Amino acid sequence: MPERDRRHPDIIFLKLRAGDGFGFTFLSRADYLRAAEALMKPAAKAQGIDLTDPEARQKLAYDYLWRYFFKPEGKVFQRDNVRWIAAAAVIEKYGVNGPVPQIVKIERNADGGIVISSADEFLKHPGFPLAVVVGKPAKGGGKAHFFASKRDYEAAGSQGLTDAMWLPQIVFRLYETTPTVVMGMPKSGAEGKMAVECRALAFGRKAKLVERKHA
């Protein structure tokens, strides 16, 4: 789909400075709009805001985004409502009818401000994951780890399995080469053992997924 005709992003990344955050997938424009309205409608009602006022609507969405970045560990910020906040903020940035980039990132800039922009780096596929996301595309994504370089990814992935970094460490053990985004979720394996279901995202571009050879 040409970028000028795109009405929803395939994925929105919320990137915190520590390298963690979220990766939220949207399989349709309807899914994207529903996520935003799940935040906006009750928030506007609670605050007495008229959602037909563009300035008031944008201020409301950006206010919730600032709250998340100010205190991301807050108990109120669970996976679902952070997804709603991300969708609402991106809609207010690009408009309900778009066009919107295929991949969007939300992050702090050097001055501490929050920037919403196209994330074209995820379309280049350098051979390692720039993001490893705990979730499935059909389920909307979830928590994410971000890696700025292959060295950073290998340093995290080559360590023994930890609760904080288990999915990148499993992906590192399974694959020698990957597209820029790998998603995964635990699933029940044979004889009651736990396994991981992984999905690599290439966003319609050419990218390799090569399993690691084990002796």
Side-chain angles (χ1 to χ4, degrees):
M1 179 187 296
E3 290 298 308
R4 65 181 181 275
D5 298 326
R6 185 170 292 280
R7 300 297 180 89
H8 73 276
D10 286 345
I11 192 165
I12 299 173
F13 290 116
L14 272 77
K15 302 177 70 175
L16 300 177
R17 282 181 172 167
D20 295 325
F22 287 92
F24 296 120
T25 50
F26 300 90
L27 300 186
S28 69
R29 183 170 182 266
D31 180 28
Y32 175 54
L33 295 177
R34 279 195 303 269
E37 291 307 297
L39 169 76
M40 298 295 279
K41 285 185 176 180
K45 183 176 181 180
Q47 298 186 32
I49 291 173
D50 180 5
L51 287 180
T52 64
D53 180 340
E55 291 186 6
R57 184 183 181 98
Q58 185 180 76
K59 184 178 183 300
L60 179 64
Y62 288 177
D63 179 60
Y64 274 90
L65 184 63
W66 271 104
R67 291 186 196 183
Y68 169 69
F69 271 87
F70 180 72
K71 194 175 182 180
E73 73 281 2
K75 292 182 179 180
V76 67
F77 294 121
Q78 302 301 316
R79 178 262 187 198
D80 285 345
N81 57 19
V82 178
R83 185 172 185 266
W84 303 340
I85 291 168
V90 172
I91 283 177
E92 295 308 316
K93 165 75 173 183
Y94 294 103
V96 172
N97 294 317
V100 61
Q102 184 176 8
I103 306 174
V104 177
K105 62 183 175 182
I106 306 174
E107 61 186 350
R108 285 194 181 276
N109 61 19
D111 296 330
I114 299 173
V115 178
I116 303 172
S117 62
S118 176
D120 292 341
E121 63 268 28
F122 286 90
L123 300 176
K124 296 176 182 178
H125 303 297
F128 68 94
L130 299 179
V132 177
V133 182
V134 181
K136 297 174 65 174
K139 298 294 185 180
K143 288 278 191 178
H145 301 279
F146 300 102
F147 302 99
S149 68
K150 186 175 183 180
R151 179 180 295 180
D152 291 344
Y153 168 63
E154 290 178 342
S158 61
Q159 301 297 314
L161 292 178
T162 63
D163 290 342
M165 198 67 66
W166 64 272
L167 185 57
Q169 289 158 351
I170 288 175
V171 170
F172 179 80
R173 285 159 174 75
L174 290 177
Y175 302 107
E176 183 176 346
T177 305
T178 77
T180 53
V181 179
V182 179
M183 305 185 77
M185 286 189 70
K187 69 173 185 177
S188 297
E191 300 178 355
K193 295 181 179 179
M194 293 304 296
V196 176
E197 177 183 0
C198 290
R199 170 81 180 272
L201 305 184
F203 305 107
R205 273 67 171 180
K206 290 184 179 180
K208 292 182 179 180
L209 180 65
V210 180
E211 291 186 5
R212 194 176 295 279
K213 295 179 180 179
H214 298 280

